[in-house]
């Protein structure tokens, strides 16, 4: 369960750095990393998929900035 501080920091970041904060992306990344930690997903396959994502996807690509519109 997230703490009050977590909610306050998230709001602060979204209000002041909205172009760089994507809560949906972060939640999806947490899920992916949990699967890797639990042995349910191969880390090498994950990294390959992460960097080879299509331009419209939420996954990052080197040199690409993620923002609210993505």
């Amino acid at each position: 369960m997230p703490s009050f501080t977590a909610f306050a920091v998230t709001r602060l970041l979204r209000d002041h750095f909205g172009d760089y904060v994507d809560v949906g992306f972060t939640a999806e990344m947490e899920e992916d990393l949990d699967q890797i930690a639990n042995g349910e997903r191969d880390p090498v396959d994950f990294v390959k998929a992460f960097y080879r994502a299509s331009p419209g996807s939420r996954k990052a690509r080197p040199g690409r900035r993620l923002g609210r519109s993505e």
Side-chain angles (χ1 to χ4, degrees):
M1 174 74 118
S3 67
F4 171 78
T5 304
F7 287 111
V9 169
T10 299
R11 183 173 179 161
L12 176 82
L13 291 171
R14 288 172 73 187
D15 289 349
H16 296 281
F17 303 100
D19 289 343
Y20 305 104
V21 176
D22 183 339
V23 176
F25 172 83
T26 302
E28 188 177 329
M29 178 62 73
E30 276 188 49
E31 179 79 22
D32 292 336
L33 295 175
D34 285 344
Q35 290 174 354
I36 291 168
N38 294 331
E40 300 166 4
R41 188 166 190 175
D42 180 65
V44 175
D45 289 342
F46 169 76
V47 172
K48 285 179 183 177
F50 183 84
Y51 282 105
R52 292 182 182 156
S54 63
S57 100
R58 295 178 76 104
K59 301 294 186 187
R61 298 189 76 155
R64 192 172 138 220
R65 192 178 101 197
L66 292 175
R68 278 188 262 184
S69 63
E70 297 189 40

